[in-house]
Amino acid sequence: MRSTTLLTTLALTGLLPLTTQAAQDASDELRLVAPPWPGVTVKSEILAQLAEPLGYRVEALEVSSTVGYQTLQSGDSDAFLAGWLPSQQQSFDAAMEAGSIVDLGNNVTGARMGFAVPGYVYEAGVTNAEQLADPEIRERFGAEIYSIESGSTVSDHLHEAVEANTYGLNQWNLRESSTPGMLAEVDAAKRDQRWILFYGWTPHWMAPAYDMEILDDPASVFGENNGQSDVRTIVARAYHAANPNMIRLLDQYELSAAEQSEFIRDFGLEEGELETVARDWLLANPERIESFLEGVTTREGKPGLAAVRASLE
């Protein structure tokens, strides 16, 4: 407040022009942590296509989330658009306790994970994980749960639930494989309209492709609030302090799970070219560009929205 008052006084006395350009960020570079996940890959490319017309160079660092947190702390990266909580809670808490990162908040609304079924199973009446204890329902599913890699956080959650006999799961077989392997099983079941229970999450292309529904989870096997997740935008503290214009863009860059699931499908399932998928999404969502760029300028202080619109022509 004192600095604002001083600037106003200087302007009124003629020692400073009444209109000034926005303060230039210290860096013209943005290094994004980008694990090889379709969602963050496309999301990072969309951000790059917003930032580059503003005068920034964007680099995507393809490292795991665990390594990503380390690079944020060491100064080897600047931001991370996929801070999934609570699944990355340990790494996140360690970096926060060290005082090396700033959390800008959730950038995906509606993110969730849990026991999932195709839409036709949900419509048949299976909507709550408590129903998995029913012998007739268990038999209809073949008493099998499909999930991703053994040793993952998700796998740990499921093994704990089986050991505790939550929802009668000690009567089920846990089938773990790679994500593509699991989804191949879901795809085959959908073609035959067979019942299948699997680990699902959104945003992901599986949501629109299988009309996927996530079951209510009153025992919180996959976390509180029925497996609701946050996908945080995390920034290295030094970068946050020195680059207010880019931080404004990062802070305003927010998507819905449905939006992200659609472009994940275009890239990950339909195998579209990354740059084209990102550009097509921007061209189809001009109102979203306006919300992302509100109050954001180029590095020279010119209107940011006009620069990005010109780049898309």
Side-chain angles (χ1 to χ4, degrees), residues 7 20 34 40 49 58 60 62 71 74 88 97 100 130 146 166 178 180 182 208-210 222 224 257 309-310:
L7 288 173
T20 61
V40 70
Q49 293 190 22
V58 180
E62 190 173 303
T71 64
S74 66
Q88 297 171 10
E97 288 170 8
S100 55
E130 290 180 332
Y146 291 85
T166 306
S178 65
M182 180 189 75
Y210 304 129
F222 291 96
E224 299 298 324
R309 282 176 171 167

Side-chain angles (χ1 to χ4, degrees), residues 222-265:
F222 291 96
E224 299 298 324
N225 300 316
N226 284 314
Q228 181 178 327
S229 299
D230 280 351
V231 186
R232 305 288 183 85
T233 299
I234 300 167
V235 183
R237 183 168 292 279
Y239 190 90
H240 181 274
N243 300 281
N245 188 56
M246 177 53 71
I247 295 303
R248 183 169 189 135
L249 173 57
L250 287 167
D251 193 37
Q252 294 176 171
Y253 186 45
E254 181 179 322
L255 300 157
S256 70
E259 285 176 321
Q260 189 163 325
S261 293
E262 290 293 340
F263 63 61
I264 291 172
R265 179 175 62 180

Side-chain angles (χ1 to χ4, degrees), residues 1-12 16 18:
M1 181 65 70
R2 291 178 61 190
S3 60
T4 301
T5 303
L6 176 60
L7 288 173
T8 303
T9 301
L10 290 172
L12 291 174
L16 190 72
L18 284 170

Side-chain angles (χ1 to χ4, degrees), residues 2-79:
R2 291 178 61 190
S3 60
T4 301
T5 303
L6 176 60
L7 288 173
T8 303
T9 301
L10 290 172
L12 291 174
T13 58
L15 297 178
L16 190 72
L18 284 170
T19 59
T20 61
Q21 292 182 331
Q24 188 180 61
D25 284 354
S27 176
D28 66 353
E29 184 179 33
L30 177 65
R31 298 166 299 171
L32 291 172
V33 173
W37 309 331
V40 70
T41 298
V42 181
K43 187 161 56 175
S44 297
E45 176 61 24
I46 291 173
L47 182 65
Q49 293 190 22
L50 291 169
E52 286 166 0
L54 303 179
Y56 298 88
R57 295 177 294 112
V58 180
E59 179 184 4
L61 308 175
E62 190 173 303
V63 296
S64 70
S65 60
T66 302
V67 173
Y69 281 99
Q70 295 171 358
T71 64
L72 288 167
Q73 293 183 81
S74 66
D76 294 315
S77 68
D78 303 314

